[in-house]
């Protein structure tokens, strides 16, 4: 078993991705269960790949001369790319003779069938790659009439390929509001800001990616000047990766929806969450957690007005059935000169007022209730930042 993603060094592949052959620096994959079966459910033997991806299975005497299958059990977050017998690629679904043994490889089920020989060794190698991801899958932004909203996305390539980003037909609510327009742009430095020289991603634009590469792009939504408060526009986003060298062709598509809502409020707030205990690195509109696990919430704020905002205060509260762990700032624009917080730890009582502390002061976990970040200075037009807080599920 091996990772067939091309094993890039920097932005250059050392091997050939998705060709069903282990080449370049493509590494073996350990811990994969591999079964010897009758090709329809009966398991004759089973083993697990070692740290180099190697495995060995003995064919029972009773199965000599019978059709048997070797089938790895891939994890849910991986895809099969191809296989080879002693270095000869096995085409998907076609019988191929290697060393006098006829093999038929089926990529969909990641198994290779053959007639068990009376003696000798059969050598089979299977390629796999991680599944790519597109985050977030649901973008939500607010904007004032006549202004724009930017929806950032990150595509993480599970293997080498050609990527296309396409925007589908948008749905306006109410449908009588016209004049919405949207376009996708490459965010080369993953800043979340639209560069004037950014490459527009049209329907025919193809971007080459290598395994593990994070490619960022922005969906730019222009809000009609006449759009009323509360109206919205939802844009379907599709990122399609075509695997280079895969035979027959192999591709995977990933979908998201970006919704822009019209608000005359100068302050735009976006709340997201991730599961820290499970090692989730990206924030999204929702998440799942078990008792005892820690969720981290991020509240992003932005000034969409033409004038600065004074006396910025961000407030939230611990969700039901959770306990406060910590609160702090993530990013703060320089125009906001200081930040203090009040949390369940220093909330005070009916007779004793709360005593704010610095936003990055470490506190002892515990308690439930409101969380407030109070900033001094001003939030300039176009300025943005974020605050964070963590809770433990009861």
């Amino acid at each position: 078993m091996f990772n067939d993603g091309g094993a890039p060094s920097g932005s250059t592949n050392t091997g050939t991705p998705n060709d069903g052959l282990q080449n370049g620096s493509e590494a073996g994959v350990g811990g994969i269960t591999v079964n010897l079966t009758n090709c329809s459910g009966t398991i004759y033997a089973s083993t697990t790949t070692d740290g180099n991806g190697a495995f060995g299975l003995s064919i029972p005497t009773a199965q000599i001369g019978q059709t048997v299958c070797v089938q790895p059990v891939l994890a849910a977050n991986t895809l099969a790319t191809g296989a080879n017998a002693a270095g000869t690629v096995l085409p998907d679904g076609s019988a191929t003779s290697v060393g006098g043994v006829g093999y038929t490889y089926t990529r969909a089920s990641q198994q290779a069938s053959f007639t068990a020989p009376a003696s000798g060794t059969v050598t089979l190698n299977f390629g796999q790659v991680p599944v790519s991801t597109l985050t977030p899958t649901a973008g939500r932004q607010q904007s004032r009439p006549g202004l724009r909203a930017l929806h950032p996305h990150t595509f993480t390539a599970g293997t080498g390929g050609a990527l296309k980003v396409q925007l589908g037909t948008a749905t306006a609510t109410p449908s009588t509001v016209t004049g919405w327009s949207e376009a996708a742009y490459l965010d080369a430095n993953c800043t979340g800001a639209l560069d004037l020289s950014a490459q527009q991603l049209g329907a025919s634009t193809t971007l080459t990616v290598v395994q593990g590469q994070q490619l960022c792009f922005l969906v730019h939504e222009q809000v009609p000047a006449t759009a009323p408060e509360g109206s919205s526009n939802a844009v379907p986003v599709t990122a399609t990766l075509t695997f280079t060298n895969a035979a027959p062709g192999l591709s995977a598509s990933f979908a998201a929806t970006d919704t822009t809502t019209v608000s005359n409020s100068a302050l735009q707030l976006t709340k997201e969450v991730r599961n820290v205990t499970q090692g989730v690195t990206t924030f999204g509109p929702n998440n799942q957690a078990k008792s005892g696990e820690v969720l981290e919430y991020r509240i992003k704020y932005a000034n969409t007005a033409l004038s600065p905002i004074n006396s910025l205060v961000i407030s939230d509260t611990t969700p039901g059935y959770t306990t406060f762990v910590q609160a702090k700032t993530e990013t703060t624009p320089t125009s906001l000169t200081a930040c203090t917080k009040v949390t369940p730890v220093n909330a005070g009582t009916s007779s004793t007022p709360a005593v704010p502390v610095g936003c990055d002061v470490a506190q002892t976990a515990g308690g439930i209730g409101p969380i407030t970040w109070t900033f001094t200075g001003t939030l300039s037009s176009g300025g943005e930042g974020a605050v964070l807080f963590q809770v433990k599920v009861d």
Side-chain angles (χ1 to χ4, degrees), residues 91-106:
D92 181 29
S94 300
T96 303
S97 180
V98 180
V101 177
Y103 301 90
T104 300
Y105 170 69
T106 305

Side-chain angles (χ1 to χ4, degrees), residues 85 143 184 192 284 303 328 330 352 356 376:
S143 186
N303 181 3
K328 59 182 180 179
E330 184 185 49
T352 304
T376 58

